[in-house]
Amino acid sequence: MDFLLLAPDRSRIVIGVDGVQHYGRPNPPNEQGHITHTAVPRLYAEMVAEDRRLRLAGYEIYRFGGWELKEPGGRQLLESFFTSLLARHQKPTL
């Protein structure tokens, strides 16, 4: 969990930003010094198991890949997401 938001409607929202460490392990640097990663299914399984646990406990979970946030348009992606999220979770009227 990277961020926990408590929405006006009392929803509990978890935001995750997942880098390669969430699904892979680094390999030794190559001759040019670049580090690649190898996917580790166990890491992914642990992450989705935690998602299930949090969902059963009443949390909403939204994950972003770190890569998509660094790309052009990443800021717009977040602005659009949070606009939609906050519109969905406004405080209910009595």
Side-chain angles (χ1 to χ4, degrees), residues 51-62:
D51 280 6
R52 289 191 305 271
R53 187 187 70 74
L54 287 169
R55 287 177 196 270
L56 289 172
Y59 292 84
E60 274 185 48
I61 301 169
Y62 297 95

Side-chain angles (χ1 to χ4, degrees), residues 41-94:
R42 178 185 52 78
L43 290 175
Y44 179 76
E46 290 170 357
M47 182 176 66
V48 296
E50 179 65 7
D51 280 6
R52 289 191 305 271
R53 187 187 70 74
L54 287 169
R55 287 177 196 270
L56 289 172
Y59 292 84
E60 274 185 48
I61 301 169
Y62 297 95
R63 292 190 167 281
F64 292 90
W67 180 85
E68 70 182 316
L69 300 180
K70 290 172 39 176
E71 288 298 298
R75 180 185 179 116
Q76 178 58 41
L77 174 110
L78 285 175
E79 287 175 1
S80 177
F81 169 76
F82 280 108
T83 298
S84 297
L85 183 69
L86 293 174
R88 179 178 176 193
H89 290 285
Q90 290 183 2
K91 189 172 184 174
T93 57
L94 299 176

